Amino acid sequence: MAQDLPEKSLMGAYGNWASEMIADLGTMSFRNTTFADVDNWKPKATSKALQFLALPDIQQTSAITIHKKYSYDGLSIEEISWPLSNGGGAVEAIVMKPEQAKGTLPAILALHDHGGNKYFGKRKIVQCSEDRHPLIEQHQQVYYEGLAWANEVAKRGYVVMVHDVFAFGSRRVFPEDVDEVLLREHTLKDFSSEEWERPDIISEYNKWASDHEHVLSKSLFCAGTTWPGVVLAEDQIALNILCERKDVDASRIGCAGLSGGGLRTVYLGGLDHRISCAVSVGFMSTWKDFMLYKAYTHTWMLYAPLLPRFLEFPEILGLRVPLPTMVQNNIDDQLFTLSEMKMADSILTEVYKKAKAPDKYSGKFYEGLHKFDAAMQVDAFDWFDKWLKGE
C-alpha cells in the first residue's frame, strides 16, 4: 500500500506554519456557503484562476503545415506542425483516426506525460511504425502496459491529436541556445544532430533538462507568467486547431493524459469548456500534499503562485462542473500520499453533488504504481464513449 502522511514534512519545522496558511475552504471554493448557484460561482472562480495562471499572449504565427500522410495500424495518420509567437521550434503534432472513417467524428486531444523525459513529447503515447525508439518502447511498457494509448482510443472511432507542448519534444529547450554557464558540466552542445537519437545522449539531455526546470520557471515568473499558464496557452491553441478540422465535431471533444498529461487535463479541462469530457490520470491530490510531502516528485509545471488561497487543486478541475469528468488514481502511486488523493476525490464528489450532477463525476482507484495501464485505458475510453458518443 502507498505510504500515508509522513511524520516529518519537507519544510522541516516550518511545515505546520505553512499548512495553516491554507484554509480548509478557499475564498473561491464552490463548497463555501457563499456560493449557492454554480452559474454564479464558475465565472468568478474561473477568472480568479486565470488571474494567477497569468496566461501569456501566444499566437499561432502562420498556417498549419502538413508534412506527411500515411496509414498504419488501421489508422489514417497525419504529421503536421505550426509555429508559435513565443519562440522555440514549431509545434509538431500527430493526428490519427480510423482508416475507413467518414464524415465528422468526436475527437480527443491526447496530452503526453512528463515522465522526466523532455527529449520526447508526443512520441511517448503514439506508435506510427514498427520502428519504435528503444526508450519509447521502455517508457510505454512502464507506464502504459506496452500500449500507445492515443492509437488505442483512435481505433474506437475518434480523431485524436497529440502535440508537443512547451519544453518537450519539438518544443524542448536546445542546449546550443542557452548561456554557456548552464552547460559547464555537460557536453550536449558537442553532439551532431545525427547523434541525438542515441539513448545515452537522450538520457544526458533529460538530466540536464530536469536541472534546468527551476531556472526556466523562475525566468517565467520574472516575465510575469507561469509555467502552467504557458502550457495552458499552448494547449488551447492545439485545441483551436483540433476544433477547426473538417473531420471533427467540435461539440464532442475530450482530453486526457497521464501524470503531466493529467496535470494538463486539470488546467485545460477545468478552464476551457470546449472540452466536453475530461479524464485526468495519475495527477490528483491537494495543495497540502504538494507542499508538505511530495514537492520533490513534481514538476514546476504545477505551480501557480497564490492560487491555493482561493481554490483547492481539485477544484481547478471542478470548474468544469457539470461537464463529465473522470479521475483515475493508483493506490500505490509514488507521487502522492493516499489520504490526500482520497481527500481530492471527496472534494470533487462534493462539488459535483452540490451542482446536482453527481453522475457526471467518476473517481476511481486502482492497484499499483503510477501508470495508465490497459484496464484503466478501457475505463477511460468507455467514459468517453458514454459522454461523447452516447453509448
Side-chain angles (χ1 to χ4, degrees):
M1 294 291 290
Q3 288 186 342
D4 211 335
L5 298 182
E7 292 183 5
K8 297 181 180 180
S9 82
L10 300 177
M11 297 182 68
Y14 298 104
N16 289 338
W17 163 76
S19 64
E20 288 171 359
M21 287 195 288
I22 300 181
D24 290 337
L25 291 175
T27 57
M28 283 291 161
S29 172
F30 186 48
R31 295 173 295 143
N32 276 323
T33 55
T34 310
F35 299 106
D37 177 61
V38 69
D39 293 327
N40 180 47
W41 164 71
K42 282 174 68 171
K44 295 175 182 177
T46 298
S47 176
K48 186 61 70 174
L50 290 171
Q51 176 186 348
F52 291 111
L53 284 171
L55 267 69
D57 180 19
I58 300 174
Q59 302 293 328
Q60 180 185 341
T61 55
S62 65
I64 296 164
T65 299
I66 300 174
H67 299 278
K68 201 174 182 182
K69 290 185 177 184
Y70 52 97
S71 295
Y72 173 75
D73 197 24
L75 300 170
S76 295
I77 299 176
E78 297 176 27
E79 296 182 8
I80 65 176
S81 69
W82 59 87
L84 295 177
S85 60
N86 60 332
V91 178
E92 294 179 2
I94 300 287
V95 182
M96 50 182 68
K97 65 180 180 180
E99 203 168 357
Q100 306 303 322
K102 305 292 184 183
T104 58
L105 300 174
I108 305 294
L109 190 61
L111 305 174
H112 68 71
D113 58 75
H114 184 299
N117 189 341
K118 291 197 181 72
Y119 182 82
F120 296 112
K122 63 188 180 298
R123 291 167 66 182
K124 290 184 276 191
I125 61 172
V126 302
Q127 184 173 352
C128 297
S129 75
E130 294 301 312
D131 184 24
R132 275 191 298 179
H133 192 284
L135 293 182
I136 292 293
E137 186 172 4
Q138 179 185 38
H139 188 88
Q140 291 179 351
Q141 286 292 342
V142 170
Y143 295 110
Y144 302 109
E145 206 170 324
L147 298 168
W149 76 261
N151 294 51
E152 298 304 308
V153 71
K155 292 172 188 175
R156 287 203 176 203
Y158 294 91
V159 176
V160 176
M161 187 165 82
V162 192
H163 65 289
D164 294 328
V165 80
F166 178 73
F168 289 85
S170 57
R171 298 287 290 155
R172 68 185 184 273
V173 177
F174 289 86
E176 60 266 29
D177 294 333
V178 303
D179 192 291
E180 183 75 22
V181 70
L182 296 178
L183 296 169
R184 285 175 180 168
E185 298 178 4
H186 295 271
T187 57
L188 293 169
K189 62 180 175 34
D190 299 330
F191 296 113
S192 67
S193 58
E194 292 77 16
E195 295 178 288
W196 266 99
E197 288 283 295
R198 276 173 34 191
D200 61 321
I201 298 176
I202 292 172
S203 295
E204 185 177 350
Y205 174 81
N206 284 330
K207 183 182 184 306
W208 176 82
S210 177
D211 294 340
H212 188 241
E213 271 215 2
H214 75 98
V215 175
L216 196 53
S217 189
K218 287 185 283 190
S219 298
L220 291 172
F221 289 151
C222 290
T225 186
T226 66
W227 197 316
V230 175
V231 169
L232 176 57
E234 291 198 6
D235 283 343
Q236 286 185 305
I237 291 171
L239 182 58
N240 294 343
I241 289 167
L242 184 60
C243 287
E244 291 167 1
R245 286 182 61 94
K246 293 181 180 178
D247 56 358
V248 166
D249 179 350
S251 69
R252 295 186 293 158
I253 292 186
C255 76
L258 165 69
S259 195
L263 170 61
R264 292 164 66 192
T265 297
V266 168
Y267 283 116
L268 181 64
L271 293 164
D272 195 319
H273 298 159
R274 292 176 294 174
I275 299 295
S276 302
C277 185
V279 180
S280 177
V281 187
F283 209 102
M284 184 49 65
S285 194
T286 64
W287 290 122
K288 179 181 178 181
D289 198 11
F290 300 137
M291 174 181 64
L292 295 182
Y293 310 115
K294 294 293 185 176
Y296 68 95
T297 71
H298 293 297
T299 169
W300 285 84
M301 289 170 62
L302 166 62
Y303 303 103
L306 302 182
L307 184 55
R309 294 185 179 182
F310 300 92
L311 289 169
E312 247 296 2
F313 181 75
E315 291 177 313
I316 301 169
L317 183 59
L319 289 168
R320 58 182 284 100
V321 68
L323 294 171
T325 302
M326 175 179 279
V327 173
Q328 296 184 322
N329 308 278
N330 289 288
I331 291 172
D332 297 302
D333 197 317
Q334 60 273 38
L335 303 188
F336 311 95
T337 53
L338 182 58
S339 62
E340 296 305 297
M341 287 192 286
K342 289 183 174 179
M343 177 60 72
D345 177 61
S346 296
I347 289 169
L348 281 167
T349 298
E350 185 178 345
V351 167
Y352 271 77
K353 183 178 180 180
K354 184 173 179 179
K356 298 180 173 58
D359 61 316
K360 300 290 184 65
Y361 173 68
S362 177
K364 290 183 170 289
F365 287 80
Y366 302 82
E367 296 290 339
L369 299 170
H370 192 66
K371 61 177 171 33
F372 184 32
D373 62 20
M376 296 170 72
Q377 291 175 35
V378 169
D379 286 350
F381 304 161
D382 286 349
W383 185 255
F384 282 135
D385 288 348
K386 177 179 180 178
W387 296 108
L388 298 180
K389 295 182 181 177
E391 295 180 4

